[in-house]
Amino acid sequence: MKKYEYTEKKDTRSGFGAGMAELGKTHPNVVALTADLAGSLKLDAFIKENPERFVQCGIAEANMIGVSAGLTIGGHIPFATTFANFATGRVYDQIRQSVAYSNKNVKICASHAGVTLGEDGATHQILEDLGMMKMLPNMTVINPCDYNQTKAATLAIADHVGPVYLRFGRPVIPVFTPADQKFEIGKAWTVNEGSDVSIFCTGHLVWEAIKAGEMLAEEGIEADIINIHTIKPLDEEAIIASVKKTGCAVSAEEHMISGGLGDSVAHVLAQHNPAPLEYVGVHDTFGESGTPDQLMQKYGLTADKIVEQVKKVMARK
Amino acid sequence: MELEQLEHIATAVRRDIVRMVAAVNSGHPGGSLGCTDFLVGLYFDVMKLKRDENGTVIFDMDGRDEDLFFLSNGHISPVFYSVLARSGYFPIDELATFRKLDSRLQGHPTTAEHLPGIRIASGSLGQGLSVAAGAAYSKKLNGDTNHVYVLMGDGEQQEGQIWEAAQFAPNKKLGNLTAVIDYNLAQIDGKTEYVNDNRDLAAKYKAFGWHVDEMQGNDMADVIRTLKKAQENPDVPTLILMHTEMGFGVDYMVGSYKWHGVAPNAEQLTQALNQLPLSVGYSDY
């Protein structure tokens, strides 16, 4: 049974910007920081209304993470923003020591994740960030799927005490989650119910999974499509319950296969309910320049690829 | 507090340091002994700490309406732990657990063990100045007029993040921030000038827009005087080059980088304790 409605196309980072604008009104302790990318992170509305609570750090990401950790002392809730590559890999040790190990209430908000950043190429297209962040003790890792869900997640993490990594993208994609959704950290969202195969998807790949689900339905295959917007803590119950019903699973993510959602799903299945699993994701390679659509095709991050993997995994049941 | 009293406390702290590192045969005595006068002067005279109605020091993570200190060169944890314990943040007896299993006194300080007095983990160098700048910014947003202090090593100045923070603090007019560099000219692999010369640190910080001062870090009177003077720059952060001698107070350690991260053996410990006179309020553990 369908639980989604497709409306207009919007980018997830604008959902973040809309969430920040709202937090500017409702949360007087929220502070926005950036490393020379305020425009890219859609912070304009927040800055216009709350100039005193905006900290421009310049091109100095390590300092931005440290300043964010310091801002929590005194009760502020810092949202540190930049591209996903510079928000994680570049400052892993700063996040590890000053944020995660110190258990500071810092929200690391990363845009332009994955290959859909496009023409800038591999230096900017991080595909390892979810893995790095989920390995850190104390860290909550969230990867929402569309404009509305990114906005809802932005609002939700402000009220969650502890370090959070919030990851979103650049492309404009359909909005299909409800505007008034309740975003529960750690609680998966079932997009479509089916009993033949489980598709566990996250981020931009949720839309591809929905398209795959429609293609599969035409062939009489009913997919249980589950949006895992929270990579950590993982909704293990939802994964186990779905695979008990379907007997096989496909994971889909715009991330390296090792260390990503698929890895987490495999871990749960191996421990609780062994079942065949196939992956959709990037296989041990860096990205390259190209349009987002071209790159999604080349690296197999599409509805077609999900369908292919579904058929493969169902044959292994 | 009277100068003589502060010096007595400093002696007690130095005795704690050598005993702590000797007990586990690990830790960093050299820099700890060099920075003892500074930390004692800071906690027992200069900083305004939060206290209850009985005058007992109390701790909360937010640290509003009190002065704050951050230790960036976390390896000199023995002096930090001793000064915190003797300030009343936790029992002095607990110093005996330093670097042992299940202790709140990790080799490098951390909030993870919930030790009162610690607000950030440090050990991976170069991060403390950024954190202190963030805390100073937080105080300004809160309209809190108290001061933020951070101690760094001189070898630590080789870390790139320091210079990101060094640009940030004057640009944000953080006059409520005082950064101190333990300028003992030595690091683990040898003299700093041979490892990777810092050259003119004062000129560098001045060029970034800091008010720069110097002090004799093993002269309690100069420490107190210079730290108080640093509170008088409302719009400009202050950087103090603190001249110290690694191992100050223990003759065989003075001036030798070899005592950066080596513990004294039993005989050397006795020798050190004999040199460091017993002081007022010293509690055996």
Side-chain angles (χ1 to χ4, degrees), chain A residues 31 52 54-57 60-63 66-67 69-76 93-94 97-98 101-104, chain B residues 61-62 64 68 70 110-112 119-124 127 130-131 133-135 137-138 141-142 161 164-165 168 172:
Chain A
V31 177
E52 74 292 347
F54 168 64
V55 186
Q56 174 59 269
C57 295
E61 293 83 7
N63 183 55
V67 167
L71 275 164
T72 65
I73 299 161
H76 290 101
D93 183 48
Q94 283 77 12
Q97 173 175 291
S98 293
Y101 185 37
S102 296
N103 206 8
K104 294 298 181 201
Chain B
M61 195 53 86
D62 274 0
R64 294 189 209 214
L68 301 177
F70 296 96
T110 173
T111 58
R119 291 195 171 84
I120 197 81
S122 59
S124 177
Q127 302 186 28
S130 300
V131 174
Y137 203 104
S138 191
L141 285 174
N142 284 338
Q161 187 183 350
E164 295 185 3
F168 178 86
K172 303 302 180 195

Side-chain angles (χ1 to χ4, degrees), chain B:
Chain B
M1 197 178 272
E2 294 293 320
L3 212 53
E4 192 184 359
Q5 215 178 337
L6 291 169
E7 283 166 351
H8 280 193
I9 296 168
T11 302
V13 167
R14 287 193 160 94
R15 291 176 63 89
D16 290 342
I17 292 166
V18 290
R19 296 178 76 159
M20 286 164 77
V21 296
V24 283
N25 193 28
S26 76
H28 296 78
S32 292
L33 292 165
C35 293
T36 297
D37 303 301
F38 162 70
L39 272 160
V40 169
L42 191 68
Y43 270 83
F44 287 86
D45 192 82
V46 176
M47 281 207 301
K48 194 177 92 190
L49 307 177
K50 205 175 277 181
R51 297 181 190 279
D52 64 16
E53 60 277 13
N54 302 320
T56 307
V57 70
I58 52 172
F59 175 75
D60 61 60
M61 195 53 86
D62 274 0
R64 294 189 209 214
D65 304 315
E66 64 174 321
D67 291 336
L68 301 177
F69 169 74
F70 296 96
L71 179 68
S72 188
N73 48 333
H75 56 270
I76 65 163
S77 58
V79 60
F80 192 24
Y81 291 147
S82 170
V83 167
L84 287 175
R86 288 180 179 278
S87 297
Y89 283 97
F90 56 85
I92 291 171
D93 289 354
E94 200 168 338
L95 296 177
T97 70
F98 175 61
R99 284 186 173 237
K100 289 183 177 161
L101 196 63
D102 297 327
S103 173
R104 295 198 293 179
L105 280 61
Q106 294 286 297
H108 295 79
T110 173
T111 58
E113 306 300 338
H114 305 293
L115 187 69
I118 310 287
R119 291 195 171 84
I120 197 81
S122 59
S124 177
L125 295 170
Q127 302 186 28
L129 188 58
S130 300
V131 174
Y137 203 104
S138 191
K139 283 202 178 295
K140 288 187 81 159
L141 285 174
N142 284 338
D144 175 347
T145 55
N146 290 282
H147 211 83
V148 177
Y149 298 90
V150 57
L151 176 65
M152 302 177 277
D154 52 1
E156 190 178 4
Q157 302 305 303
Q158 291 152 7
E159 293 280 6
Q161 187 183 350
I162 297 268
W163 302 100
E164 295 185 3
Q167 289 178 80
F168 178 86
N171 288 341
K172 303 302 180 195
K173 300 191 178 356
L174 300 178
N176 57 343
L177 173 65
T178 294
V180 178
I181 295 175
D182 179 17
Y183 204 41
N184 63 13
L185 311 176
Q187 56 192 108
I188 197 163
D189 264 1
K191 288 189 175 175
T192 300
E193 72 176 299
Y194 298 128
V195 177
N196 195 13
D197 199 348
N198 288 322
R199 301 188 190 274
D200 195 344
L201 284 175
K204 286 175 178 159
Y205 276 91
K206 272 183 200 159
F208 282 117
W210 290 67
H211 173 74
V212 176
D213 206 345
E214 300 197 26
M215 70 184 178
Q216 295 304 320
N218 298 128
D219 175 345
M220 188 67 80
D222 198 38
V223 167
I224 305 287
R225 188 168 52 238
T226 314
L227 287 177
K228 286 187 175 166
K229 202 167 67 178
Q231 298 169 352
E232 295 164 7
N233 302 298
D235 292 327
V236 184
T238 296
L239 183 281
I240 300 173
L241 282 177
M242 177 171 76
H243 299 277
T244 67
E245 286 198 81
M246 195 180 264
F248 189 87
V250 176
D251 59 4
Y252 60 84
M253 288 192 192
V254 172
S256 167
Y257 71 85
K258 298 203 164 127
W259 288 95
H260 173 95
V262 176
N265 62 27
E267 193 185 324
Q268 289 164 330
L269 174 64
T270 307
Q271 199 182 330
L273 290 173
N274 286 339
Q275 285 173 24
L276 295 163
L278 273 173
S279 61
V280 178
Y282 177 71
S283 150
D284 213 10
Y285 63 77

